[in-house]
């Protein structure tokens, strides 16, 4: 299919995933456009992480389809999603503890040395460190110290910032962030939020999962509400209150109000 301006960057349709008898994701539908921040909110266990993991290839859905620029994405393959331009910061921040910050950033995309050494598979550590440092500078990350420190020696918040930096360095078109500011102090949170703004300005689509509703109202262009594995409402942040969003999350709205709010 030829992508036109009207083709959304991402379209997920009818995604479903059960774990045994538990229907974690019953109906995952999502559209993300270029230059758009879409927030996914919902109570604990609503299925948010399962949903984005199906899009990012970390989980293979039982049913449904995902299209990027109108092209069907191979499901259940992190590599296919990455090749298509999707980069993801997972809630559990999978990182190799014994590798350095720089190595984690470039893990599986390591910078090879030029010439014969590169063809033999040798990694250019110096270039990798320089690029990792430049990336940290670009993102305004100053508290990390040194990119040769091992990931295992970092604090939870520092690790989170590295995970965001890694995703930024890999994203082609879409970046998905699952609770990227959950463990962060004020300054690091601001860096992540500034990064989200910058990605949007550069034309990326951003999917943000967060329980920080005031912040979501501030940063998102659209808010998608999940409850019990389903997308149940979609609202524009303008004029919304945290209270109303919470009532949608908990199902305290009548069906009529819900569809009126979407
Ligand atoms: N690998 C798994 N095996 C079994 N059950 C799972 C697995 N992953 C998730 N679940 C279950 O699926 C449901 C949805 O989980 P999910 O992690 O998607 O929720 P969430 O909306 O991201 O919640 P939170 O806000 O707490 O991160 C939960 O009931 C959870 O226990
Ligand atoms: Mg989650």
């Amino acid at each position: 299919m030829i992508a036109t301006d009207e083709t959304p960057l991402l379209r997920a349709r009818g995604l479903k995933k059960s774990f045994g008898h538990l229907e974690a994701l019953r109906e995952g539908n999502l559209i993300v456009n270029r230059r758009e921040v879409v927030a996914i909110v919902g109570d604990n266990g609503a299925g948010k992480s399962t949903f984005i993991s199906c899009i990012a290839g970390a989980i293979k859905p039982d049913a449904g389809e995902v299209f990027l620029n109108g092209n069907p994405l191979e499901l259940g393959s992190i590599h296919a999603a990455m090749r298509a331009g999707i980069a993801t910061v997972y809630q559990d921040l999978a990182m190799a503890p014994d590798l350095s910050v720089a190595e984690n950033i470039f893990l599986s995309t390591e910078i090879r040395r030029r010439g014969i050494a590169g063809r033999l598979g040798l990694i250019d550590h110096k270039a990798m460190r320089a690029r990792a440092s430049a990336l940290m500078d670009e993102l305004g990350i100053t508290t990390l110290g040194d990119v040769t420190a091992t990931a295992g020696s970092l604090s939870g918040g520092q690790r989170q910032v590295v995970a965001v930096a890694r995703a930024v360095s890999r994203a082609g078109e879409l970046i998905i962030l699952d609770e990227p500011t959950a463990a962060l102090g004020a300054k690091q949170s601001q860096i992540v939020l500034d990064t989200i703004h910058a990605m949007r300005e550069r034309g990326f689509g951003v999917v943000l999962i967060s329980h920080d509703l005031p912040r979501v109202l501030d940063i998102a262009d659209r808010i998608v509400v999940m409850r019990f594995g389903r997308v149940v409402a979609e609202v524009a942040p303008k004029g919304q209150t945290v209270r109303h969003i919470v009532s949608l999350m908990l199902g305290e709205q009548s069906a009529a109000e819900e569809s009126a709010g979407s």
Side-chain angles (χ1 to χ4, degrees):
M1 177 174 166
I2 296 168
T4 65
D5 281 353
E6 291 85 54
T7 311
L9 172 60
L10 177 88
R11 179 193 289 274
R13 205 156 57 190
L15 291 178
K16 297 184 201 305
K17 176 69 191 175
S18 292
F19 298 106
H21 292 300
L22 180 89
E23 292 178 274
L25 183 63
R26 295 161 195 251
E27 192 62 51
N29 298 309
L30 184 70
I31 284 181
V32 182
N33 295 299
R34 296 167 200 85
R35 287 181 192 278
E36 188 180 41
V37 178
V38 177
I40 303 179
V41 301
D43 211 351
N44 293 119
K48 305 178 297 295
S49 296
T50 305
F51 189 13
I52 63 99
S53 296
C54 287
I55 295 169
I59 290 178
K60 185 164 190 184
D62 303 327
E65 303 167 296
V66 177
F67 299 89
L68 208 78
N69 291 313
N71 301 312
L73 184 69
E74 181 191 340
L75 299 178
S77 163
I78 291 177
H79 290 290
M82 277 171 64
R83 270 200 307 276
I86 301 174
T88 309
V89 178
Y90 294 97
Q91 193 169 15
D92 60 8
L93 298 178
M95 228 180 263
D98 296 334
L99 296 184
S100 72
V101 168
E103 285 162 337
N104 266 286
I105 287 177
F106 293 110
L107 197 64
S108 83
T109 58
E110 291 105 340
I111 300 173
R112 302 258 176 237
R113 284 169 60 166
R114 286 166 169 274
I116 187 125
R119 287 197 292 278
L120 290 172
L122 293 181
I123 293 162
D124 189 340
H125 286 278
K126 206 169 147 200
M128 206 159 74
R129 283 197 296 273
R131 281 260 299 273
S133 293
L135 183 65
M136 295 295 164
D137 287 347
E138 196 186 315
L139 297 178
I141 299 165
T142 51
T143 58
L144 205 61
D146 163 14
V147 295
T148 59
T150 58
S153 72
L154 301 180
S155 75
Q158 288 170 327
R159 214 168 301 160
Q160 205 147 5
V161 167
V162 171
V164 172
R166 177 169 66 176
V168 167
S169 76
R170 291 175 177 196
E173 304 209 61
L174 179 75
I175 184 161
I176 301 175
L177 305 149
D178 193 349
E179 292 284 356
T181 58
L184 299 186
K187 180 162 176 255
Q188 304 287 347
S189 289
Q190 197 53 53
I191 288 171
V192 172
L193 295 175
D194 289 347
T195 303
I196 290 173
H197 276 298
M199 296 298 279
R200 173 172 54 186
E201 289 313 301
R202 281 161 59 187
F204 283 75
V206 181
V207 176
L208 170 69
I209 296 178
S210 177
H211 287 286
D212 186 344
L213 297 180
R215 188 159 270 166
V216 161
L217 283 173
D218 197 36
I219 198 172
D221 298 303
R222 216 145 38 84
I223 302 173
V224 167
V225 183
M226 289 187 74
R227 189 165 72 238
F228 297 135
R230 283 197 173 86
V231 172
V232 293
E234 204 182 290
V235 294
K238 201 159 186 278
Q240 286 294 334
T241 59
V242 167
R243 197 194 194 114
H244 181 237
I245 307 261
V246 170
S247 68
L248 290 171
M249 283 165 51
L250 300 180
E252 292 168 358
Q253 298 283 309
S254 71
E257 277 177 292
E258 242 174 57
S259 54
S262 67

